Amino acid sequence: MRLSRYFLPVLKETPADAQIASHRLMLRAGMIRQQSAGIYSWLPLGYRVLRRIEQIVHEEQQRAGHIPLLMPTLQSADLWRESGRYDDYGEEMLRITDRHGRDMLYGPTNEEMITDIFRAHVTSYKDLPLTLYHIQWKFRDEIRPRFGVMRGREFLMKDGYNFDLTKEDALHAYNRHLVSYLRTYERMGLQAIPMRADSGPIGGDDTHEFLVLAETGESEVFYDSKVTDIRLGEREIDYDSHAECRAVMEEFTSLYARTDETHDEAVFNEIPEERRRSARGIEVGQIFYFGTKYSEPMGATVVTQSGERVPVHMGSHGIGVSRLLGALIEANHDENGIIWPEGVTPFHCGIVNLKQGDAEADAACEDLYKALKNKGLEPLYDDREERAGAKFATMDLIGLPWRITVGPRGLKNGVVELTSRRTGESEELPPETAVARVAEIYAGL
Amino acid sequence: MRLSRYFLPVLKETPADAQIASHRLMLRAGMIRQQSAGIYSWLPLGYRVLRRIEQIVHEEQQRAGHIPLLMPTLQSADLWRESGRYDDYGEEMLRITDRHGRDMLYGPTNEEMITDIFRAHVTSYKDLPLTLYHIQWKFRDEIRPRFGVMRGREFLMKDGYNFDLTKEDALHAYNRHLVSYLRTYERMGLQAIPMRADSGPIGGDDTHEFLVLAETGESEVFYDSKVTDIRLGEREIDYDSHAECRAVMEEFTSLYARTDETHDEAVFNEIPEERRRSARGIEVGQIFYFGTKYSEPMGATVVTQSGERVPVHMGSHGIGVSRLLGALIEANHDENGIIWPEGVTPFHCGIVNLKQGDAEADAACEDLYKALKNKGLEPLYDDREERAGAKFATMDLIGLPWRITVGPRGLKNGVVELTSRRTGESEELPPETAVARVAEIYAGL
């Protein structure tokens, strides 16, 4: 993309009402615009990151064998009356009346609807196990929306639902989700720690939240510092293997790590003192096993091999897709702006032309632009007639992990400059070496 | 995808309340499920086609230089009061009140919001031309939703908005959209004819609708039969060239082609009688030029080179993404089911194992499955323990354009059968030749 033809409305001033870094930086970098309280437009740069995160979530869900579909944003109130949640949900549910006077709502979650789809179409144990998921806009009418996309009212969420014949199978689905979530966050360059949590309005016996440690997090968390040393890494895990998924679950959840809702001071104090940590965290996902809580009242049953009709065991599993942008920025920024991890960056590499209009510099930038595109990478070429300082400031603000700087002086020596946004370190290289280096960094991501 | 692990709830019976073929077939093929009047879930097969159509629309919009962003589904009523449309829009607008008593609405279109984004961030002629678009769910509270996704209430639309300094530039944007829309529909294997249309509640001087001819279309259309002979085909068009885009626009719109709203019997009768056609059509897109209708009341202005402040010239341009599935099926089906054009098929090729459990047949199917995936294709392998007739019926119903049938008898002679869904013609080929043939068909799509 050439910046002269793009729409990147960066702000010079820091917006006064934005209290946390991610909110400020998303506004300043031209990623979002508030349209109403807690409701945002995703400007082109923000939209690119949102799509990238969505793509990683899709890939990891499908790798785990989960099947995508798409449920609508608006739901009938009748469905929620069946489960009993229509009256329970409170004022966070946005209730709507259509022109015929029918009660509707903007879905805050989809347990009822997915159970309705299941009961309409599945009747036999042979069709199990089944996990369906979607990535769709949700609405929760927060009384005081704040922190930008971190606590918005209209937000994008991945929610998935497993249907299993037995509790044991459903717990495997729970563990499988835990593994796939760990992989999802790691691909984004994010450490999200599974912590024992409270079940809230979804209900359920077993539940873990995934928390990213950050000073601005809204949850207080308590954990054994050893838990932050564990990584999934590159290991191969067979998502069909109960034992393999359970082993990962146990490895990641046996050390103490809890939110304040489930925190137990006595148990916490059994950890050696030097490993006890209390901190703040941002919730970016949650998994639940809730058994037959919805299948029983809503009649989601299957016939077993022995001819018996039984309600299915279910769970639901969510990733806060739009909120992840906030969490990623909270965990990756400095005083000059955002520092995107390579896995989610909106453009792979910036190109800064120090002397726009200089024939040699322009040609070198065009060549770099094409060479990067030929490698399957998407560069952002700052081809504006601006002074170098302004171009660097924009690149630092929007946080592309790599920048290639092209100027007449370097070109005389046959080199350009490759700079890491994270470390600030630069290296002078021939243009083709810089391209190869960037391609290598992104290979396999 | 292996069918045994997929969720494809095909129906044996034809749903009684579905009046048109596309609605019936989408229900029977397990593509959609109605959740409320005019509100559908997209089951996995339907979701795949929806995503494929979305992808083509994105690619062609970006090829034309248009920039994607994403606006929210809910909007503030105040924005619509500025343009004067809040009171004008009527009962099709779904009005919502949030917990603080603020008036909101579920966006039926986005002229106001995009104009708000523009005026907040763009001040200079130097930032023009600019075309922004998004693909987002919309809601129109139709009094009588019908025909499945063809006239739903919650529907997916691509809507794009151009901002230009002069009327001439804005008309180029109009022509550029016309060309990009023609290319979009052709890639989907669909002929959509631009017809002079009425501007409706969007307002505007110039507007064309794109109509797919189909008996079940809701619009009456009148046209010169020669108009159906024109194709864009493979020609290269420079989207920056005013002359090239205008030439395509003139070529496609100079022959008589109008909807009943603008039909003029006297002009129509000047066409030679044997070329006069009246038929029915499905609207799948519309382009508008409306000048300063929104920029003036909402203050979307730029400073020109000479320092003058002027309102920008705008247009809006829509493609009915979810409705296109209905139109595609209306134009591509027979008594046995859907016949997907290669450009939009949910899976590239079906594999039918005539004797599941037979070691040789199973191994041959597995090899085919892997070979197709290695070519970057997505096969759907019917690995269920079902009789051949049921497998064929399912494949015909869901409409994959190509099917490879594998059975012990053929394998003895070293062949499998490659069948075209459209023609019904079959050919016996060695498995590797069948794979190469299928790969060749999809190369470049």
Side-chain angles (χ1 to χ4, degrees), chain A residues 5 33 35 42 47 51 58 67 69-70 73-74 98-100 106 116 120 141 143 153-154 240, chain B residues 5 33 35 42 47 51 58 67 69-70 73-74 98-100 106 116 120 141 143 153-154 240:
Chain A
R5 304 195 70 161
R33 170 174 173 73
Q35 302 291 165
W42 296 79
Y47 177 65
R51 282 303 292 256
H58 271 303
I67 300 172
L69 45 55
L70 189 61
T73 61
L74 297 198
D98 75 6
R99 70 190 294 177
H100 295 298
Y106 200 121
D116 175 60
D141 203 358
I143 191 157
R153 295 198 292 166
E154 186 170 328
D240 287 337
Chain B
R5 304 194 71 160
R33 171 174 172 75
Q35 303 290 167
W42 296 79
Y47 177 66
R51 283 301 294 254
H58 271 303
I67 300 172
L69 45 55
L70 189 61
T73 61
L74 296 198
D98 75 7
R99 70 190 291 177
H100 295 298
Y106 199 123
D116 174 61
D141 203 358
I143 190 157
R153 294 198 293 166
E154 186 170 328
D240 288 337

Side-chain angles (χ1 to χ4, degrees), chain B residues 111 114-115 162-163 170 288-291 294-295 312-316:
Chain B
E111 281 79 7
I114 199 79
T115 305
N162 67 286
F163 302 90
F288 293 97
Y289 161 72
F290 48 68
Y294 296 92
S295 57
V312 290
H313 286 258
M314 292 175 58
S316 75

